[in-house]
Amino acid sequence: MGKFSRLGNDLYAGRRSYDFIGRRAVFYAISAILVLCAVGLVGGKGLNFGIEFTGGTQFAVNLPADQVTQSNAEDLRETVADAGIETGDPSVTTEGDSRLIVQVQELGQADTDALIEVIAAAQDIAPADASDDISVSAIGASLGAQLAQRAAIGVGVFLFLVVLFIWAYSREWKMSVAALMALFHDIVITVGIYALSGFSVTPAAVTGFLAILGFSLYDTVVVFDKVRENTANLRSKRTTYAQAANLAVNQTLVRSVNTSVVALIPIGAILYVSAVQLGSSSLQDLALVQFVGMGVGVYSSVFLAPRILVHLKSNEDDVKLAEKRAKARARAAADPYASVPSFTEDMPIGAGADEGVEPEDDEEHDEHESGAPDDGEPARPSSTRSEAMGSGRVAPPARGPMGQSNSSGRVQPSRQTKSQRKK
């Protein structure tokens, strides 16, 4: 845990960073492939709607408390499925400690009577008591239509309020658009995995869908809040919008992972118990939706929603200006001498008045430098500037006698004793 805490501190401080915003095309392609696969599963395999949505027949079997167990329910489900009656995908669940509930597709009267006999024989119920211990009720498809309509209204109201909240809080409609696109991504993938599993779509599953909407948007809003904080007064910061958004994702990464792990552990335990130990039950419908939806929600809040937001903001003037400044700083850091002109043979030596002046002929140049007369004019000493241009550094005139130095091999001022120097 210590290493994980240090990693979180390094990510928050910016000492370590992962690029979640870059490689936009790669992650867009991954998300698009996942969405297309989910749509293909729903269109090809379809969803297994429960009798609450499609209509069907329900049998309530009254039994002693010691027979109302999940293992007995699982045995009865296998017996009904193997009875040779067209029952679809039967579902058997416990209700309290006194009844088992058997749900099958809509049956005719003959199939209903035959299934009552099968259930009575499987549970050791006498034929004379079957009419009293086994009650039959029909579930119409109109109930499923009402449930679907109410669920659609609830989702619509929820999304409308979420858009208003994000816009009012951040004053940024693009954040609302990015959050809704990430939410659509989560819902489609969750529905695709639900179709792949073949679990029955029940009212519990619809409740789970509504729950994952809140979880997905909750994590996304937390990331967007940090993005808004990091990108405030962007002109005064030496960073780009994409860099500030990537820092925000890194700063909230550990929090997102911790939140998702804490939420997924109990839901995973419920899913295991309901699917493996308890068999078919309404708990597995709810647990599967929430488990998949929360996992996909963390992915979208980290990899998808911030990237969509940066993409939508990339055409704004302030964002473009910050990108230009960042590129200029990068070029200056890569080559600090990029602004210094390179040397060329025809480059002028001086500046100002000397620029643009044609050089004199070599002989005339030598005569001017040596002080020789030109066309009868008296000789004049050459200027310090001419000497500097011709020979580099100019030595000051000697204040004493000059003599050949054996050590240096050139003429240098000779050193005299102190008594011979002029006062």
Side-chain angles (χ1 to χ4, degrees), residues 225-409:
D225 182 63
K226 197 62 182 178
V227 172
R228 186 177 63 89
E229 178 183 337
N230 290 352
T231 57
N233 299 323
L234 191 61
R235 291 188 176 183
S236 61
K237 298 180 179 179
R238 298 175 60 86
T239 184
T240 64
Y241 192 92
Q243 292 171 347
N246 191 73
L247 176 61
V249 178
N250 280 273
Q251 290 174 330
T252 57
L253 179 62
V254 173
R255 181 188 179 283
S256 298
V257 172
N258 289 337
T259 303
S260 61
V261 170
V262 170
L264 289 175
I265 288 177
I267 294 177
I270 294 174
L271 179 61
Y272 172 77
V273 171
S274 60
V276 177
Q277 296 185 350
L278 299 181
S280 178
S281 67
S282 59
L283 282 178
Q284 71 178 10
D285 305 333
L286 176 64
L288 177 64
V289 169
Q290 291 191 337
F291 188 85
V292 175
M294 287 183 181
V296 178
V298 173
Y299 167 81
S300 66
S301 63
V302 173
F303 291 95
L304 188 61
R307 185 173 288 104
I308 294 176
L309 176 61
V310 172
H311 195 176
L312 294 175
K313 297 277 292 183
S314 60
N315 291 327
E316 295 186 4
D317 294 337
D318 291 346
V319 176
K320 289 182 179 180
L321 184 59
E323 292 283 351
K324 291 181 180 179
R325 290 199 299 263
K327 290 180 180 179
R329 288 193 298 268
R331 288 194 299 267
D335 186 5
Y337 300 102
S339 60
V340 179
S342 58
F343 174 77
T344 57
E345 294 295 337
D346 57 348
M347 177 181 292
I349 299 177
D354 293 336
E355 290 184 356
V357 179
E358 295 293 334
E360 297 178 338
D361 194 63
D362 290 342
E363 295 181 358
E364 295 177 356
H365 185 67
D366 293 339
E367 290 177 355
H368 282 295
E369 286 190 5
S370 61
D374 186 11
D375 295 335
E377 293 182 3
R380 60 177 183 271
S382 60
S383 63
T384 305
R385 183 172 181 80
S386 299
E387 294 177 358
M389 292 175 61
S391 57
R393 186 168 64 92
V394 179
R399 291 182 295 179
M402 303 288 291
Q404 183 69 27
S405 173
N406 295 329
S407 59
S408 62

Side-chain angles (χ1 to χ4, degrees), residues 106-329:
E106 189 173 356
L107 301 177
Q109 187 60 43
D111 290 337
T112 301
D113 295 338
L115 190 56
I116 290 176
E117 296 178 0
V118 171
I119 295 175
Q123 300 301 315
D124 296 330
I125 299 175
D129 299 332
S131 59
D132 296 330
D133 293 337
I134 301 175
S135 60
V136 182
S137 60
I139 300 177
S142 59
L143 176 61
Q146 292 178 2
L147 289 173
Q149 182 181 5
R150 292 176 182 177
I153 293 175
V155 171
V157 172
F158 172 80
L159 295 179
F160 177 74
L161 293 178
V162 164
V163 170
L164 286 182
F165 169 75
I166 296 177
W167 176 81
Y169 179 73
S170 62
R171 299 291 181 182
E172 179 60 72
W173 64 268
K174 294 180 180 179
M175 285 189 175
S176 299
V177 173
L180 288 181
M181 294 180 68
L183 184 60
F184 173 79
H185 165 272
D186 299 344
I187 293 175
V188 172
I189 293 179
T190 304
V191 172
I193 295 179
Y194 209 88
L196 179 64
S197 67
F199 283 14
S200 178
V201 179
T202 62
V206 176
T207 304
F209 275 111
L210 294 176
I212 66 170
L213 295 180
F215 183 87
S216 177
L217 282 174
Y218 167 75
D219 206 27
T220 302
V221 168
V222 170
V223 176
F224 280 0
D225 182 63
K226 197 62 182 178
V227 172
R228 186 177 63 89
E229 178 183 337
N230 290 352
T231 57
N233 299 323
L234 191 61
R235 291 188 176 183
S236 61
K237 298 180 179 179
R238 298 175 60 86
T239 184
T240 64
Y241 192 92
Q243 292 171 347
N246 191 73
L247 176 61
V249 178
N250 280 273
Q251 290 174 330
T252 57
L253 179 62
V254 173
R255 181 188 179 283
S256 298
V257 172
N258 289 337
T259 303
S260 61
V261 170
V262 170
L264 289 175
I265 288 177
I267 294 177
I270 294 174
L271 179 61
Y272 172 77
V273 171
S274 60
V276 177
Q277 296 185 350
L278 299 181
S280 178
S281 67
S282 59
L283 282 178
Q284 71 178 10
D285 305 333
L286 176 64
L288 177 64
V289 169
Q290 291 191 337
F291 188 85
V292 175
M294 287 183 181
V296 178
V298 173
Y299 167 81
S300 66
S301 63
V302 173
F303 291 95
L304 188 61
R307 185 173 288 104
I308 294 176
L309 176 61
V310 172
H311 195 176
L312 294 175
K313 297 277 292 183
S314 60
N315 291 327
E316 295 186 4
D317 294 337
D318 291 346
V319 176
K320 289 182 179 180
L321 184 59
E323 292 283 351
K324 291 181 180 179
R325 290 199 299 263
K327 290 180 180 179
R329 288 193 298 268

